[in-house]
Amino acid sequence: MSVNVPNINDVIRQMKKKNYKCGYYSIEQKVRKLRIVALNTNLFTNSSWDQEAEEQWDWLESVLIKSSRNKETVYLVGHVPPGMDERQSRSPHQQRILLMPSHNSRYLALVRRFANIITGQFFGHFHTDSFRIVYDDNDNRPVSTIFIAPSVTPKRSPNGVNNPGLRLYKFNKDTGQVLDYNQYYLDLSVANKDEKAEWTSEYNLTSYYEFKQSTFEPVSAEQMDQLAESFINNEVSFLELQEFIFHYDNYSIKWFTIGFKDKVP
C-alpha cells in the first residue's frame, strides 16, 4: 500500500497563504471585532540580527495599524514574555531581561502605542504565576497588563519544583476585555497517591484580592498596578503571599512586579 506524504515545502507555502509564517499569525473574529495575534517571541531572544525577527516586527506593526483602523480589539499571545526572569534570583537587581533589550523595548513601545486596542496580553514560559505592568512613557500611568499563567507541565529547577497549573479567563465576548480569571492547580503527590487527577481551585483574581467592581467591569491596568503596589508596600502579608505561591514555586510575586517596574525601560 502506498502512502501519499505531502512535500514539506508545499505545506509551508500553504501555511504562508493562510497567514502563518515563522510561527506567528493572527486569527480574525469578524463578527466580534476581536483579533488574536500569536507571536513567535522566541525569535526575539536571539542576540544577533535576525531577518525573521525583523519581518515579524514589520508584520506585527501592520496588523496593529489595520486593527486600529478597523476598530478591532486585540489579544497578544506568546510564549516568552517581556520583562525580567525572576526565576534567576530573588533580588530584582540580579535578574535579566528574557528578550534581547532592543526587542524588549520595541515590544513595549508598540504596546504603549496601541494600548487603546490591546485588551489582553497572555504569556507563559516561566511555569509560574505572575503578571507585568506596562507604563506610559510620559506620565508613568499604567496602560496595559501582561498576564503570565503557570504551566500545565511541572518543572524542576534549583529553586524547587512546581505543580501543574491551569487558568480559566472570563472575558467580554463583545469587547475582548478580561473580566476575571480562576486559577487551578493539580497536587501531583496526591494525584500519584490516589491514582487520579483532581484539579483544585487556588484563587479567583477579583474576589481574592477584593477588587471593587461590577460583574461585567473589566480588570484594568490601574487595578493591577494597585495590586502590585500592595505587594511592594506589604499590604498583602507575607503569609498570604506564601499561601498564594505555595503550589507553584518559592518565588514571591512581589519580586516579579518590582523587577519589571524598576528595570524595564
Side-chain angles (χ1 to χ4, degrees):
M1 181 179 67
S2 63
V3 178
N4 184 19
V5 179
N7 183 284
I8 186 62
N9 293 315
D10 292 336
V11 173
I12 293 174
R13 278 193 290 270
Q14 288 299 316
M15 289 179 69
K16 287 183 177 181
K17 289 180 180 179
K18 295 181 180 180
N19 203 23
Y20 291 82
K21 188 176 182 181
C22 300
Y24 55 88
Y25 56 91
S26 72
I27 301 173
E28 182 182 6
Q29 304 288 327
K30 291 185 178 180
V31 175
R32 303 191 183 280
K33 287 285 189 177
L34 171 64
R35 182 178 293 274
I36 302 171
V37 179
L39 301 172
N40 181 1
T41 51
N42 288 332
L43 294 177
F44 300 151
T45 62
N46 194 340
S47 59
S48 59
W49 185 86
D50 187 286
Q51 178 65 36
E52 292 179 345
E54 290 300 317
E55 290 177 356
Q56 181 173 206
W57 282 122
D58 293 340
W59 170 84
L60 175 58
E61 184 175 19
S62 68
V63 168
L64 292 173
I65 290 173
K66 179 181 178 181
S67 294
S68 180
R69 186 185 306 123
N70 294 340
K71 301 187 185 315
E72 297 174 337
T73 53
V74 173
Y75 282 167
L76 297 180
V77 181
H79 180 68
V80 182
M84 302 298 168
D85 185 352
E86 68 273 358
R87 301 169 303 171
Q88 300 300 314
S89 171
R90 284 184 177 273
S91 169
H93 303 293
Q94 296 177 2
Q95 296 161 7
R96 63 181 179 85
I97 299 176
L98 278 171
L99 307 182
M100 287 297 103
S102 60
H103 292 308
N104 194 83
S105 297
R106 288 175 75 171
Y107 180 86
L108 294 177
L110 280 178
V111 169
R112 290 168 179 138
R113 178 180 169 187
F114 294 98
N116 62 315
I117 65 169
I118 297 173
T119 55
Q121 299 179 72
F122 309 97
F123 289 85
H125 183 66
F126 287 109
H127 295 248
T128 54
D129 187 332
S130 181
F131 64 90
R132 306 281 188 267
I133 308 294
V134 181
Y135 297 88
D136 184 85
D137 268 338
N138 299 318
D139 56 12
N140 206 35
R141 174 176 50 89
V143 295
S144 190
T145 303
I146 302 171
F147 293 102
I148 303 174
S151 64
V152 174
T153 54
K155 179 180 176 65
R156 184 182 298 275
S157 72
N159 300 293
V161 296
N162 66 278
N163 282 315
L166 180 67
R167 179 174 295 178
L168 297 181
Y169 288 95
K170 179 182 178 182
F171 63 95
N172 186 312
K173 291 190 294 184
D174 294 321
T175 65
Q177 293 172 312
V178 175
L179 306 177
D180 205 349
Y181 68 71
N182 290 304
Q183 183 64 52
Y184 301 87
Y185 72 95
L186 174 64
D187 190 318
L188 289 180
S189 298
V190 174
N192 289 329
K193 178 182 177 182
D194 296 342
E195 297 185 347
K196 64 178 181 179
E198 293 286 349
W199 288 89
T200 303
S201 176
E202 175 75 7
Y203 70 98
N204 170 269
L205 175 66
T206 58
S207 61
Y208 187 84
Y209 290 111
E210 299 179 345
F211 285 4
K212 294 178 173 58
Q213 62 192 80
S214 63
T215 304
F216 298 104
E217 186 178 352
V219 174
S220 67
E222 289 81 3
Q223 285 176 303
M224 297 303 292
D225 179 57
Q226 291 170 8
L227 177 59
E229 290 295 333
S230 73
F231 293 157
I232 295 170
N233 297 327
N234 294 320
E235 293 172 17
V236 177
S237 72
F238 179 74
L239 289 177
E240 286 180 302
L241 282 173
Q242 285 295 89
E243 178 184 358
F244 178 78
I245 64 176
F246 175 76
H247 300 289
Y248 302 109
D249 62 15
N250 295 322
Y251 283 111
S252 164
I253 280 184
K254 177 180 177 182
W255 288 121
F256 297 176
T257 310
I258 292 176
F260 184 82
K261 189 171 182 179
D262 286 352
K263 297 185 69 176
V264 172

